[in-house]
Amino acid sequence: MTFDHDLFVIGGGSGGVRAARIAAGEHGASVALAEQSRMGGTCVIRGCVPKKLMVFASSAPDAVSEARAYGWDARPGRFDWPVFRGRLEAELTRLEGAYRATLARAGVTVHDQRAVVVDPHTVELADGTRITARHILIATGGRPFVPDFPGRDLAITSNEVFHMPEFPARVLIVGGGYIASEFACILHGLGADVVQSYRGAQILRGFDDEARGHVANAMRARGIDIRCGTSVMGLERSTDGILARLTDGHDRSYDVVLYATGRVPNTAGLGLEPLGIPLGRNGQVPVDVHGQTVIPSIFAVGDVTDRVNLTPVAIRDGHAFADTVFGARPWVSDHDLVASAVFTRPELGAVGLTEEQAREQGPIEVYAAAFRPMRQAFAGGEDRVLMKLVVCADTRRVLGCHIVAPEAGELIQLAAIAVKMGATKEDFDRTVAVHPTMAEELVTLRHPVRKA
Ligand code: NDP
């Protein structure tokens, strides 16, 4: 049987673009890709990249006050949201162009429209064109999930936050995960009065308890009103903005209400269930370690599979798929010991097991230090850094590393190499410190603070 292409990729985000580029550019496959929105997907267009640029923007007031403490005659100015938003948009347009250029260089045919699957080897574009391929890759990612409640339409999500017409003076953020906590810090840093409402007992569930407590304390100390154990009963338009009623009785008006209550895979109407691919509880596509679905010609990578929902994982999944299927070089994208960072202020970086998870597996020793870093302490800053290692008492392996600090995202990337290599506490100990740094604490932690 002959096909129009060797591979048809649905979705031009991190996973889909990498798979298409490697399959076509390195393995000579004939590849087409459909994207219904802007090329680059969530990470580039409405996620990691614009978020990180907003993190940078929000750090300016701290830089100014620190500069003053270091003797500079620096003064905070006014944040001009339309100016920043325009520059942000220009940067995203540049990046989108770079993604398109990469695909063009690799020889990938791009269709700027939605595609759905109609049979194991055929997709249909929104304009009705049908295209056949030996393999189909589902890389459609995810989208924000907002629960049903009265006044739901008044809330925005992370999709809209980058396009707000005006910068809001008062913001309610709902949720306690990555996005909610990051945007609480970003919008507060840019000058908004921020309330964060979270239904659980402590934000950043899933991270090490001590580390999440450390971040929450620092956020509160900066003036973010984190209200745990609260839910929104409803939103209504008021003369003064959007009136939010919280279960703790804290009723007040906001200019923007941002829901960051998780994300769900983009599989609605994609045509998978009629083909016999059963979707998971969140709508995810079940796959094996190679990303293959129950239909041998259809694969899926990235957030649409709802496993480790992070850009670098989707990129690896896409690369492994392309090498395995088109390069005769089979390998499996390893989802174990994936480090991640939450770009709160201070940042939280983590790799491996939390203290709570490690304790379930056997005896452990916990090494930790909390201190005011030199740079901020000189400037009168109150934020404390946390460096923490969770060590297996039997094998001495470092099972988890948790860092709360400025640039913790950068630090954890390096610590993750050691943890992934199976480093022991003694390996850390025999590494000579780089002085004076914050990270040197990781190699000078002498005595366990706890054994469990
Ligand atoms: P998360 O899964 O991190 O957090 C969702 C939050 O919403 C949780 O606090 C959850 O509460 C809460 N929640 C879920 N359902 C409801 C509900 N019905 N009512 C009220 N609250 C609810 O999702 P995010 O949206 O923050 O981020 C999505 C994913 O994107 C992340 O999991 C991560 O994989 C990725 N991401 C990664 C980033 C990074 O690497 N820096 C940055 C941003 C996103 P509970 O804890 O009680 O379940």
Side-chain angles (χ1 to χ4, degrees):
M1 193 169 166
T2 57
F3 299 102
D4 299 326
H5 294 284
D6 299 316
L7 171 66
F8 196 101
V9 180
I10 306 183
S14 302
V17 168
R18 175 59 69 97
R21 178 166 75 78
I22 300 300
E26 292 198 6
H27 304 311
S30 160
V31 180
L33 179 149
E35 169 56 57
Q36 64 180 6
S37 176
R38 297 177 65 180
M39 193 63 73
T42 299
C43 170
V44 178
I45 302 298
R46 61 192 84 82
C48 322
V49 171
K51 178 276 302 290
K52 192 79 190 276
L53 291 169
M54 282 183 80
V55 168
F56 294 143
S58 71
S59 68
D62 276 5
V64 171
S65 61
E66 197 177 280
R68 287 177 70 81
Y70 278 88
W72 290 91
D73 177 20
R75 278 163 220 291
R78 193 181 61 85
F79 175 61
D80 192 326
W81 170 245
V83 166
F84 173 75
R85 201 185 49 201
R87 290 183 55 82
L88 181 64
E89 184 49 42
E91 177 63 2
L92 300 187
T93 302
R94 185 186 72 79
L95 290 170
E96 188 182 358
Y99 269 70
R100 283 187 185 280
T102 302
L103 288 174
R105 264 197 311 275
V108 176
T109 306
V110 171
H111 300 277
D112 286 298
Q113 48 185 317
R114 182 171 164 80
V116 298
V117 183
V118 291
D119 73 37
H121 294 285
T122 309
V123 301
E124 185 174 295
L125 301 180
D127 67 7
T129 311
R130 288 193 169 204
I131 298 173
T132 60
R134 185 176 299 281
H135 298 285
I136 295 171
L137 180 68
I138 311 294
T140 49
R143 65 190 149 79
F145 159 79
V146 179
D148 269 332
F149 63 91
R152 182 181 189 267
D153 292 349
L154 296 173
I156 65 165
T157 70
S158 56
N159 281 353
E160 293 80 41
V161 75
F162 305 107
H163 308 287
M164 295 183 297
E166 285 155 25
F167 189 77
R170 305 158 303 168
V171 180
L172 172 64
I173 297 183
V174 183
Y178 282 84
I179 298 178
S181 305
E182 289 181 341
F183 272 96
C185 295
I186 291 169
L187 297 176
H188 179 265
L190 292 174
D193 170 14
V194 175
V195 175
Q196 183 178 357
S197 162
Y198 173 53
R199 63 184 179 182
Q202 181 59 285
I203 60 167
L204 297 172
R205 185 167 65 82
F207 286 93
D208 183 87
D209 278 355
E210 193 174 8
R212 53 210 276 250
H214 206 94
V215 173
N217 288 344
M219 287 171 63
R220 286 197 171 105
R222 285 177 170 268
I224 297 170
D225 184 4
I226 302 177
R227 294 177 168 263
C228 290
T230 63
S231 298
V232 175
M233 292 191 291
L235 301 178
E236 55 193 76
R237 204 169 281 290
S238 70
T239 49
D240 187 24
I242 302 166
L243 175 67
R245 296 188 195 283
L246 267 54
T247 48
D248 66 356
H250 187 75
D251 300 344
R252 55 166 279 200
S253 291
Y254 300 90
D255 302 304
V256 159
V257 176
L258 170 64
Y259 261 70
T261 42
R263 295 175 60 85
V264 289
N266 270 330
T267 45
L270 210 53
L272 299 177
E273 278 176 304
L275 284 189
I277 299 177
L279 299 180
R281 233 182 83 209
N282 292 333
Q284 73 270 32
V285 183
V287 289
D288 69 9
V289 292
H290 292 294
Q292 194 167 30
T293 69
V294 290
I295 296 196
S297 59
I298 301 183
F299 290 71
V301 293
D303 286 9
V304 77
T305 63
D306 200 16
R307 293 173 295 170
V308 182
N309 296 336
L310 297 170
T311 292
V313 175
I315 290 173
R316 289 240 169 168
D317 286 356
H319 203 130
F321 158 78
D323 281 351
T324 302
V325 175
F326 299 99
R329 252 192 274 144
W331 61 280
V332 169
S333 161
D334 180 1
H335 291 184
D336 191 31
L337 288 174
V338 174
S340 77
V342 190
F343 294 97
T344 40
R345 181 165 289 255
E347 294 178 8
L348 165 58
V351 63
L353 300 182
T354 66
E355 180 179 341
E356 298 71 39
Q357 290 166 336
R359 217 187 280 144
E360 298 289 306
Q361 300 197 352
I364 55 163
E365 290 182 353
V366 177
Y367 296 80
F371 56 95
R372 287 204 305 158
M374 185 197 233
R375 176 174 172 157
Q376 283 79 13
F378 179 84
E382 292 300 323
D383 274 5
R384 292 167 78 78
V385 158
L386 173 71
M387 299 277 170
K388 176 168 177 177
L389 296 177
V390 180
V391 177
C392 173
D394 296 333
T395 64
R396 306 298 299 154
R397 269 184 72 159
V398 175
L399 302 174
C401 177
H402 308 277
I403 300 176
V404 180
E407 308 292 345
E410 304 289 345
L411 300 177
I412 203 68
Q413 177 68 85
L414 303 179
I417 300 170
V419 175
K420 184 85 182 164
M421 289 177 75
T424 61
K425 176 66 171 63
E426 285 63 38
D427 290 327
F428 274 68
D429 292 346
R430 65 194 172 83
T431 306
V432 176
V434 178
H435 185 72
T437 63
M438 294 180 294
E440 68 182 304
E441 291 292 328
L442 281 178
V443 296
T444 54
L445 293 164
R446 298 240 67 83
H447 305 292
V449 292
R450 278 185 293 288
K451 294 184 180 187

